């Protein structure tokens, strides 16, 4: 989650899946709709005013709800069927000039179902934020201070961990000290270790036999 602007976006939230997904359940799509409407719901609860910042979110929500109704057959009212022409027409003009394959009555029901799904997701977003208003204000203040919150930090904060602990700087690593023992002097079997030669002693000639040293 970041409030650092990128292009026309004043901030953004990146949600990366843990694994590749090829199928989406209806529950997962509804979760995504509620999440997408979270920013707009926060504006309504905190400022009691709406801005144009959620325009792109509304486009995504409306498009997803429309596909749920017309393509995936996830409407209990309209049943499991596909409505309208396929979106993968080879020519754009053919798709725009084609007449819908359903009546005006069905078109009104489609609009009603899209409206119902979007409103359901919006109410869920409002309910979650009302229950977590303290977390909402806490995260807002931390974003102003740190500008970016990573996923693990976000989860730790929601779990109740203090911000000082979450954003504490990592401990400095002490320089590693080599405390390994010195290798033992290797000697021939049965021979005691010899003392280290004293510098200069090797350059003196040995005394003559019978002469005291």
């Amino acid at each position: 989650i970041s409030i650092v602007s990128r292009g026309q976006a004043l901030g953004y939230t990146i949600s990366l899946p843990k694994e590749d997904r090829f199928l989406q359940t209806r529950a997962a799509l509804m979760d995504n709709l509620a999440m997408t409407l979270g920013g707009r719901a926060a504006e309504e609860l905190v400022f009691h005013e709406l801005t144009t910042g959620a325009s792109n979110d509304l486009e995504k929500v409306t498009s997803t709800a429309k596909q749920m109704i017309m393509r995936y057959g996830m409407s209990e009212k309209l049943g499991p069927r596909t409505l309208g022409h396929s979106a993968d027409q080879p020519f754009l003009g053919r798709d725009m000039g084609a007449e819908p394959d359903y009546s005006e009555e069905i078109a009104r029901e489609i609009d009603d179902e899209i409206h119902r799904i979007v409103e359901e997701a919006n109410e869920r977003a409002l309910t979650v934020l009302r229950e977590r208003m303290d977390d909402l204000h806490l995260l807002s203040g931390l974003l102003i201070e740190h500008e970016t919150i990573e996923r693990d930090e976000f989860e730790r904060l929601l779990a109740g961990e203090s911000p000082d602990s979450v954003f504490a700087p990592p401990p400095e690593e002490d320089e590693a000290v080599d405390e390994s023992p010195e290798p033992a002097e290797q000697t021939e079997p049965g021979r005691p270790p010899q003392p280290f030669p004293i510098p200069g002693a090797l350059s003196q000639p040995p005394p003559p036999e019978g002469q005291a040293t």
Side-chain angles (χ1 to χ4, degrees):
I1 308 172
S2 178
I3 59 172
V4 179
S5 61
R6 292 291 186 273
Q8 297 182 354
L10 300 179
Y12 57 89
T13 300
I14 300 177
S15 178
L16 300 177
K18 295 182 179 180
E19 57 186 8
D20 294 336
R21 293 182 179 179
F22 301 97
L23 299 175
Q24 289 281 355
T25 63
R26 186 182 187 278
L29 290 173
M30 292 300 298
D31 289 343
N32 186 68
L33 293 179
M35 178 193 68
T36 307
L37 290 171
R40 185 178 185 275
E43 287 182 345
E44 182 177 347
L45 291 176
V46 177
F47 303 109
H48 307 288
E49 184 63 272
L50 299 176
T51 69
T52 59
S55 60
N56 184 252
D57 297 332
L58 294 176
E59 292 178 3
K60 294 179 180 178
V61 166
T62 304
S63 176
T64 301
K66 186 176 181 179
Q67 291 187 33
M68 291 174 64
I69 300 302
M70 301 183 64
R71 184 176 180 184
Y72 305 137
M74 294 183 177
S75 169
E76 297 179 358
K77 184 177 181 180
L78 295 175
R81 55 174 171 167
T82 300
L83 299 168
H85 297 281
S86 175
D88 54 355
Q89 294 288 344
F91 300 103
L92 180 61
R94 178 182 301 179
D95 182 48
M96 295 180 61
E99 294 292 334
D101 57 354
Y102 47 83
S103 63
E104 293 184 1
E105 181 181 357
I106 296 297
R108 286 192 296 269
E109 293 182 355
I110 292 174
D111 290 339
D112 292 341
E113 284 294 276
I114 293 175
H115 178 265
R116 180 186 63 81
I117 288 179
V118 174
E119 283 297 320
E120 181 180 341
N122 187 59
E123 284 300 321
R124 183 178 179 187
L126 290 170
T127 300
V128 171
L129 290 179
R130 289 191 185 102
E131 296 174 353
R132 309 296 294 265
M133 284 298 291
D134 293 340
D135 293 327
L136 175 63
H137 290 296
L138 173 64
L139 291 170
S140 300
L142 292 174
L143 278 172
I144 294 175
E145 180 180 357
H146 298 278
E147 294 187 341
T148 300
I149 296 179
E150 301 293 341
R151 174 178 178 172
D152 60 331
E153 298 170 343
F154 177 80
E155 292 178 345
R156 291 166 61 187
L157 290 169
L158 290 187
E161 192 170 342
S162 65
D164 294 338
S165 175
V166 173
F167 295 99
E172 297 181 359
E173 297 182 359
D174 297 334
E175 294 183 0
V177 179
D178 186 8
E179 298 180 354
S180 58
E182 296 182 358
E185 184 179 356
Q186 298 181 359
T187 60
E188 297 180 3
R191 181 180 180 183
Q194 300 297 320
F196 191 82
I198 301 175
L202 297 179
S203 59
Q204 298 178 1
E209 296 184 1
Q211 183 179 352
T213 57

